[in-house]
Structures are given as structure tokens and as C-alpha cells.
Amino acid sequence: MPKISVIIPIYNVEKYLRQCLDSIINQTLKDIEIICIDDGSTDASINILKEYASNDKRLKYMTQKNQYAGVARNNGIKEATGEYLLFLDSDDFFDITLCEKTYLKAIEKDANIVLFGGKRFDQRINEYLASPWYFKTEMLPQNNPFSRIDMDGRLLELTFLGPWNKLFKKSFIQNNHIQFQPLHNSNDDYFVAVALSLANRITYVDEELVFHRVGLQNNLQSKKYQHPLCFMEAYEAIYDKLNQEGIYDDVKQGFVSRLLTDCIYHFKTMKDSHAKWLICQNIKEEHFNRMGILEAEVKGSSIKNQKYIKGLFNAYQWHENMCCIDGYEYRIISQSKIEHPKISIIIYLSSINHCINNLFNQKQNDIEFIIITNFINHIKIDNNITVIEQNNDNLSYARNIGLDFSKGEYVLFLDENNQVILNELEKIYQYACSHKLEVLYFNQYNQCDIMNGKDYFKYLVNNELLIPNIQYTLFNAYYMKKMNLKFSFDVHIDQYLSYRNLVFADKVLCTSYNIYQINILNSEQSYQSFYDYFISAYH
């Protein structure tokens, strides 16, 4: 019987597979078997496996049809004859003493699981990076070996939920019927969390023995946005299993902390905006929310993480409400004849307002006005004016209608009581165009250089500044429509769009230019709810 069965799922890793296999076949512990499961590779991976198998009888390979790493590892367990199991990734590589050191420690302590440390190897910069969260040795209890009972509820915070920095006793895994989940990604979370929670004898080797390759462009992790909810499915299964075993309370604090951290990690690293919203939506759903992460008593960094998740919960509700406004009713009275205006000025007129005519009297042929109002008989009809009759008095509805009808390169949302000097507006338009800005803030005391939206938001937060009022903002219309940025109707109307517009923008500038002759701002409103969400989500 081999001392260790090394199980490696493989999928399209021809570039890195030789380094991986070389670091395993040259281990100082020779009494091992190497089981490689090819998951339907379309590159030369299978040919490399055949080559290595012909030169080393300890290596055997099998194939399956693209069922992902969880199924591959389960198939490897079925074939394994070793006393211990080591699950490694085919694009990683390993210290040649890994098997020897972990096996000797396992025998010494009669351990169910042996933990060890590792580093990241960043493929992009060809450097090793410290990764202390792989194994937080500062959290280790005095007892060795130890179990969940010794960890004050925090066992699942001790190490991340990947299998490749852990050695497992095969009989322990089989007796407890622990398997990997058949998920596209996050298929190892359940296996590791349940194994750690059930283990009565956990020990460790306090060395960095695995080198986990990061910065890859086409591995499964880089495509997780295609299946963004797998990690949630994994945690639900973990929650149910731990409760079924009657041990959830023993690991609850670590479970909640780990789940909060992973929700944030997956949200931040998800490439697709739709995938991000799916995560927000599922945090809101009962089947996930039943685990109580929003109400649980938490400590330390989990307090901030819980606040972040609550922000995502609220953000989805706001997003849902924003999507509901597509049902607004309106009637087009007249449309602007300007084909390609420089700026669309959108004005919601809630009362008879003679100031608006002063604005129209300023001749400017390449600016269009879009007026949404119930007072259509009091509005001047002209070639550069679009008039839309709205059947309710909701400002968000009005502005979104105006945005839909706008044809300008840039958009300005104007309050009905404001008086704009159009020649000055032309100046800031030219400035925005010359710098290809998505957002230009004007009439500001706190000026800044061009930066991306997230950096500007951090600047605001760090200096305890509020985002400039929407009436001091010139928006790039193409950018707004591309990002589907609209007003919501049940939260602070301006701030919702302002913050979303800001954090996704690539080029933002803050200037002292002023375009107003008369400016009457609305009464101040609390920005706190928006800071709660956006600070957590983008800071």
C-alpha cells in the first residue's frame, strides 16, 4: 500500500503540467502513487500524461468528459490505494519534501488531517507572494493534535477551503462519506469544510510547501462569472451537513466569517456585472438568507464584512426598484429637430415656471432641451426643444424618460429653478470632449486631476467629502446608456445614479468652472445610506 495517493485533476494545462509532475515524481518520499484525471482536455495535456506514465510506473492516468475538478477528484479517490490522500492542482508546483514531511507528521500524531502553508506564484510578474491566509498559524490552539472543540468556534477561519494545502487520511474520508461536489467551481469548499469540522485529530507542518499559481487568463477560476452562484450552493450544503451532524454551533463563528468573506471575494472578483447582481439577488433569497449571516453576532473584521453584505442586500432591492420604472407612461408633444446636439439638457417642470423661457431665449443651436411636464400649454415649442407630457409627478420617471430621448454627446440634469449661461456650458463641454471624460464635476472648490471613478470615490471618502450634486455634473451620454445607468424612484434620487455613475467611470475630473447665473439647490438629504453601500462595495 502506498503511503500517499496524490490525486490531480487536469484540464488544458500543457504549459504548466511538466513543472507540476516533475515536482511530484521527484518527492523525497518515494512510496507514493500519482493519479491524474484528465477532464476532457483539448490541448496536449493527455500526451504529456502518457509520456510521464511510460517513464514512471507510480503514475497512472484516467479520462473523463469535462465534469470538472470535483468529479475528477471523487474518481481519483475511488482509484486510490494509499493510506493518505493529497489533492493537488495541475498548474501548481510543490516543495520536494511535501509528501515526506506531511506523512511523517500524520503518523506521529495519528492525524485525520495535516495542514501546511504555501505561497502564491504570480505568473504575470514571475514572483512568489506571501499568502498567510492559506494557513493562519497565529490562530493555532495549544493542543496538537486539535479539533473544532479547541478552536472557540473559529476552526473554519484557520485555513482557506482549498484542498491542496492539506493531507487527508483516506479511511477518515471514506468512513464519513465525504465527497467533492459536482459544481463548475467552488467544488472543494464542502469537502474541506466538512472534513475539518468532523476531524478529531488535526495537526500541521508549519512550512510553505505548495506554490499556487495565480494570474492565469483562461483557467476555470477566470470563468467563474459564467456560474456565479456555485459558492453559495456549496455553503448551503455545508450549513445543512453541519446541522445534520449536530456540530454547527461548534464552528458557527468561523462559518459565518468565512461565508461573509467569500461573498465579498466572489462579488469583487466577478468580471460580469450581471453575475454580481445575481449574487446580490441570492443574498436576498430565503434559501440562502436562512443561514442567518446578516443577523449573526460577529467580531473583528467580520463586523465590516457583515455591513458590506447588508449593503449588497439593499443594493439589489434598489436595483429591482430601478428596473420597475420601465412601465412609465408619457406622451410626446414635440421633438427636437437637432440631429447631433452637443448637450442634452433634461428638465423636469413641476409647476408653471417663467424662468425656463429665459433659458430658451439664449440662442445655442447645438444644445437640445428635453422638458418633461404636465404643464404643456406653457412651454415654448421650438426646433431644439422636446416636450413630453408625463402622467405622474415622479422626478425619477421624468429624468429617465428624458435620458431615453436624449441625443446629445453629454447630458445635464437641470433643476427647473436654475439659470444656465449657455456660453459657459459650451466651455465645459469642450473641456470634457478634449479629455474624453465620462464625468465632469464643475463649480467645485475641491478640484482634482483626472482619475478613475473608484479612485475619486476613495478621495471623497478619505477626505470626508460628499459627491457633488447632480446639478454640478456633466455626464457622457454614451457611457450612461452603455452602463444602463438610470434613476431609482424609492431612494435618494440623485445620489443613487451619481454614485453608480462615478464608481464605474474610467475618467473623472473636478473643476471650478461655473455655468450658473442663478442656482437654487434642493434641501439637503442624508447621504448615509449610500455611503454605507458604496463604501463597502467599492472602497
Side-chain angles (χ1 to χ4, degrees):
M1 175 191 293
K3 292 180 171 60
I4 296 178
S5 296
V6 181
I7 298 172
I8 312 171
I10 291 167
Y11 181 72
N12 287 351
V13 286
E14 60 178 357
K15 187 174 180 180
Y16 313 110
L17 185 54
R18 291 183 183 278
Q19 185 180 15
C20 170
L21 295 178
D22 287 342
S23 67
I24 296 170
I25 64 176
N26 291 314
Q27 289 286 309
T28 55
L29 180 66
K30 300 302 181 183
D31 189 10
I32 62 174
E33 66 174 353
I34 306 164
I35 303 172
C36 299
I37 308 94
D38 184 81
D39 190 34
S41 294
T42 57
D43 65 359
S45 294
I46 190 67
N47 294 329
I48 296 172
L49 291 179
K50 291 177 180 179
E51 174 191 334
Y52 274 76
S54 66
N55 294 324
D56 193 325
K57 294 182 179 180
R58 296 175 301 168
L59 189 150
K60 56 183 178 180
Y61 66 91
M62 53 195 294
T63 61
Q64 65 180 40
K65 187 179 178 180
N66 204 212
Q67 296 173 284
Y68 305 102
V71 174
R73 291 181 179 123
N74 288 336
N75 288 332
I77 293 173
K78 293 175 185 177
E79 296 294 320
T81 60
E83 185 181 357
Y84 281 84
L85 304 173
L86 187 61
F87 301 97
L88 303 179
D89 282 359
S90 54
D91 48 12
D92 295 344
F93 53 102
F94 316 95
D95 189 292
I96 61 171
T97 65
L98 166 60
C99 291
E100 180 178 6
K101 288 177 178 176
T102 55
Y103 178 77
L104 290 177
K105 181 61 69 172
I107 296 302
E108 176 191 346
K109 300 295 184 180
D110 187 23
N112 305 132
I113 301 175
V114 181
L115 308 177
F116 50 93
K119 289 183 177 181
R120 289 167 294 158
F121 177 76
D122 194 322
Q123 184 70 25
R124 295 161 296 190
I125 58 177
N126 202 38
E127 288 186 8
Y128 294 90
L129 306 174
S131 309
W133 59 89
Y134 287 167
F135 179 29
K136 300 177 182 177
T137 55
E138 71 278 6
M139 291 182 61
L140 285 168
Q142 291 184 348
N143 292 344
N144 186 11
F146 61 92
S147 71
R148 65 182 184 277
I149 304 302
D150 302 298
M151 289 297 299
D152 194 26
R154 301 182 65 189
L155 174 63
L156 297 182
E157 295 179 68
L158 176 63
T159 179
F160 87 119
L161 298 185
W164 39 260
N165 71 330
K166 301 164 184 73
L167 182 73
F168 301 89
K169 192 169 188 176
K170 187 178 71 171
S171 60
F172 162 72
I173 296 298
Q174 291 178 327
N175 291 342
N176 286 281
H177 308 288
I178 306 171
Q179 289 192 321
F180 291 89
Q181 290 181 291
L183 302 176
H184 290 80
N185 58 70
S186 302
N187 46 60
D188 43 14
D189 290 354
Y190 174 88
F191 182 95
V192 175
V194 171
L196 286 170
S197 300
L198 291 175
N200 292 320
R201 301 182 66 83
I202 305 172
T203 190
Y204 56 91
V205 174
D206 188 7
E207 294 185 42
E208 295 165 329
L209 301 174
V210 60
F211 307 105
H212 180 57
R213 197 182 303 270
V214 297
L216 304 178
Q217 299 299 315
N218 295 310
N219 62 349
L220 287 178
Q221 282 301 308
S222 68
K223 299 177 182 178
K224 66 182 180 181
Y225 68 91
Q226 297 173 356
H227 304 277
L229 305 180
C230 286
F231 82 96
M232 291 182 156
E233 184 176 342
Y235 272 99
E236 287 189 74
I238 296 167
Y239 177 81
D240 291 337
K241 177 65 173 177
L242 297 181
N243 277 285
Q244 178 186 332
E245 295 289 338
I247 60 175
Y248 177 70
D249 286 343
D250 294 340
V251 297
K252 180 178 179 179
Q253 183 177 337
F255 175 85
V256 171
S257 174
R258 177 63 62 188
L259 178 50
L260 290 170
T261 300
D262 273 10
C263 282
I264 295 170
Y265 168 77
H266 284 276
F267 180 82
K268 283 187 172 182
T269 58
M270 206 64 67
K271 294 181 178 180
D272 182 77
S273 60
H274 176 66
K276 288 178 181 284
W277 284 118
L278 282 176
I279 293 174
C280 294
Q281 178 185 10
N282 273 265
I283 289 172
K284 178 178 174 290
E285 297 295 331
E286 173 59 27
H287 68 87
F288 186 79
N289 200 34
R290 66 191 173 92
M291 292 183 283
I293 63 169
L294 298 181
E295 296 78 28
E297 293 185 12
V298 293
K299 302 176 182 178
S301 61
S302 292
I303 297 174
K304 179 181 178 181
N305 291 344
Q306 189 180 60
K307 185 177 181 181
Y308 184 112
I309 298 302
K310 288 179 179 178
L312 296 184
F313 181 96
N314 291 331
Y316 181 76
Q317 186 63 54
W318 298 337
H319 176 69
E320 276 190 322
N321 292 333
M322 183 193 73
C323 293
C324 290
I325 64 179
D326 292 336
Y328 44 61
E329 296 181 2
Y330 58 86
R331 183 164 64 101
I332 303 170
I333 305 302
S334 68
Q335 283 192 269
S336 165
K337 303 300 190 294
I338 304 177
E339 289 299 323
H340 302 289
K342 294 177 179 178
I343 300 174
S344 297
I345 299 179
I346 298 172
I347 307 171
Y348 170 60
L349 196 61
S350 63
S351 62
I352 299 173
N353 190 325
H354 298 291
C355 294
I356 205 75
N357 289 324
N358 294 329
L359 181 63
F360 297 155
N361 289 334
Q362 299 181 63
K363 298 298 181 182
Q364 194 66 262
N365 294 327
D366 42 17
I367 293 179
E368 71 170 354
F369 299 93
I370 302 174
I371 311 300
I372 304 95
T373 184
N374 284 325
F375 300 94
I376 57 174
N377 294 329
H378 299 272
I379 302 300
K380 174 183 176 181
I381 304 300
D382 206 340
N383 287 338
N384 64 339
I385 301 175
T386 294
V387 180
I388 299 173
E389 182 181 25
Q390 179 180 299
N391 295 326
N392 61 59
D393 59 355
N394 188 283
L395 179 57
S396 290
Y397 288 160
R399 285 175 170 171
N400 286 327
I401 293 170
L403 188 59
D404 287 344
F405 279 88
S406 65
K407 296 180 288 185
E409 294 178 63
Y410 283 84
V411 176
L412 176 67
F413 297 97
L414 189 63
D415 187 85
E416 59 186 316
N417 296 307
N418 291 350
Q419 287 292 298
V420 174
I421 304 172
L422 295 186
N423 288 335
E424 295 300 319
L425 182 58
E426 168 73 18
K427 292 179 182 178
I428 67 167
Y429 163 78
Q430 295 295 344
Y431 200 74
C433 286
S434 65
H435 292 87
K436 299 180 180 179
L437 301 177
E438 276 124 1
V439 181
L440 173 63
Y441 298 115
F442 54 89
N443 197 29
Q444 299 301 307
Y445 295 107
N446 298 292
Q447 300 173 47
C448 68
D449 295 329
I450 295 175
M451 61 180 73
N452 67 49
K454 289 183 180 179
D455 287 341
Y456 182 64
F457 180 71
K458 291 177 182 178
Y459 166 80
L460 293 176
V461 173
N462 293 336
N463 290 278
E464 299 182 348
L465 300 172
L466 298 179
I467 193 168
N469 190 284
I470 198 168
Q471 297 170 55
Y472 296 134
T473 310
L474 191 67
F475 297 101
N476 181 285
Y478 173 77
Y479 164 71
M480 290 189 72
K481 293 175 182 179
K482 174 185 174 184
M483 301 301 296
N484 193 30
L485 296 170
K486 294 185 177 181
F487 291 88
S488 176
F489 67 86
D490 75 330
V491 291
H492 302 312
I493 293 167
D494 293 353
Q495 294 92 313
Y496 180 83
L497 181 131
S498 295
Y499 277 112
R500 288 207 69 212
N501 205 2
L502 172 60
V503 297
F504 293 123
D506 288 327
K507 298 183 78 174
V508 175
L509 182 66
C510 205
T511 177
S512 61
Y513 277 121
N514 181 33
I515 65 171
Y516 289 123
Q517 183 177 12
I518 302 174
N519 175 233
I520 304 173
L521 287 177
N522 296 327
S523 61
E524 292 185 3
Q525 297 178 338
S526 167
Y527 285 70
Q528 187 58 47
S529 63
F530 275 83
Y531 262 46
D532 285 348
Y533 166 55
F534 282 98
I535 288 175
S536 66
Y538 297 104
H539 187 35

